[in-house]
Amino acid sequence: MNAKIIGTGWQLPAYAADNDYLSTIMDTSDEWIAERTGIRKRYLAKKETTTSLATGAAQKALEASGLQPEQIDLLIVATITSDTETPSTACRVQAELGAVNAVAFDINAACSGFLYALHTADAFIKSGIYKNVLLIGAETLSKLVDWTDRSTCVLFGDGAGAAVLTATEKGGVTAQVTGCDGSRWEVLSCRGRSNHNPVCREESELGYLQMNGQEVFKFAVKTVPLCIEDVLKKADLSAEEVTWFLLHQANKRIIQSVAKRLRQPEEKFPMNIDQCANTSAASLPILLAQMNEQGKLHSGDRLILSGFGAGLTWGACVVEW
Ligand code: ACO
């Protein structure tokens, strides 16, 4: 049995901040941001939370799938910005949806989170333990970035995307590759709470996202093509046989470089980074759901989903639509 995607949905906050707005509150410009990254605007949560965005995307995906909330066996939220340290966002979304029969937990694999969640869901479906799975990538990165650090805060946005999966005999997710190099965790990280226990009493400082942008760039342009080649080999496919390459929306130049390395036309690499910026674990499911909504995905299409992020983590999978 494979996991097949039978419904998708996406949700963004109501408020959009364009590059010109950011240039009124910090020393930056539309030209700098757009040229280096392809980003023109990002959505920022005002009243929305990770839970509310996740729930909104999930409701749309469920509706499109034709399944009822009670039919979901497993609910996974990929996020690094849970509203509560505990319980997980997945538990709160389970309650919001009334998915009363679902086991629910979060996965923290940063921008690779949705791919890690997809791999996990596929394994549970293959083993026969669960049949119907709801996967959500949801983030409010705007609360994790340092708004005084122009080199990171302009890159990220908030949002959520979701997909409902069910067991299928043919097609669906046909190959997966995921990886991690924990020795390079400091390239991109966000410190957690410090320890206040009576024998430790660490200095307390708020942790914000810190990134060595150039190291992440080099890592991405090297690792993403390699893991796509790996997953193509596993699926016994050539790059030419792939209809769409959906890549994590972190930087337009990274996506263009991957297209070049794979010797594939850029038109096969859809992008929404200009509109949404980098929404971490939400980026792939938002792009997938938007393409599905626009009628760009057809039965028999072969999709590659691939991403990279903090950890360092990476992954790719082949989906037969
Ligand atoms: N506006 C204007 N100037 C800026 C800004 C800004 N927002 N940010 C930095 N600068 C300045 C710097 O201060 C520096 O100035 P200096 O030359 O006077 O010192 C100059 O611009 C160049 O800075 P660099 O950091 O060298 O810029 P670079 O060309 O490397 O681009 C960027 C930076 C866009 C972050 C690039 O390195 C990148 O995209 N890296 C990959 C990042 C990424 O993909 N992250 C997310 C992946 S993981 C995840 O998704 C969680």
Side-chain angles (χ1 to χ4, degrees), residues 8-12 53 56-58 60-61 160-162 276 285-287 289-290 293:
T8 57
W10 59 280
Q11 177 94 38
L12 293 168
L53 292 167
K60 290 172 194 155
C276 302
I286 292 174
L287 183 64
Q290 289 182 338
E293 189 178 78

Side-chain angles (χ1 to χ4, degrees), residues 221-240:
V221 296
K222 189 174 160 212
T223 308
V224 174
L226 288 179
C227 84
I228 291 178
E229 278 163 7
D230 256 17
V231 85
L232 284 171
K233 212 169 168 185
K234 264 191 158 180
D236 197 21
L237 283 177
S238 68
E240 286 69 31

Side-chain angles (χ1 to χ4, degrees), residues 25-27 145-154 208-209:
I25 57 169
M26 67 187 77
D27 183 13
V145 298
D146 177 355
W147 284 95
T148 65
D149 174 12
R150 65 177 180 169
S151 68
T152 54
C153 70
V154 302
Y208 289 113
L209 199 73

Side-chain angles (χ1 to χ4, degrees), residues 26-29 32-33 36-37 80 110-112 141 149-156 188 209 211-220 248-254 278-281 308-310 312:
M26 67 187 77
D27 183 13
T28 191
S29 65
W32 192 97
I33 301 170
R36 279 187 166 72
T37 68
I80 54 169
C111 309
S112 312
L141 258 301
D149 174 12
R150 65 177 180 169
S151 68
T152 54
C153 70
V154 302
L155 306 174
F156 297 97
L188 178 52
L209 199 73
M211 176 175 77
N212 180 333
Q214 287 177 7
E215 280 303 309
V216 175
F217 196 97
K218 280 190 265 175
F219 154 71
H248 169 47
Q249 304 287 295
N251 185 311
K252 187 178 175 179
R253 289 186 298 141
I254 292 176
N278 180 348
T279 55
S280 188
F308 62 93
L312 296 171

Side-chain angles (χ1 to χ4, degrees), residues 72-132:
I72 298 297
D73 307 309
L74 172 65
L75 192 167
I76 307 178
V77 177
T79 186
I80 54 169
T81 49
S82 183
D83 300 317
T84 40
E85 300 262 350
T86 191
S88 65
T89 297
C91 289
R92 297 182 60 190
V93 174
Q94 189 246 29
E96 290 289 330
L97 295 173
V100 290
N101 297 309
V103 170
F105 57 85
D106 288 359
I107 281 185
N108 177 337
C111 309
S112 312
F114 189 75
L115 291 164
Y116 271 52
L118 196 61
H119 207 156
T120 307
D122 189 47
F124 272 117
I125 286 175
K126 275 195 168 52
S127 69
I129 296 175
Y130 299 124
K131 184 176 172 221
N132 299 323

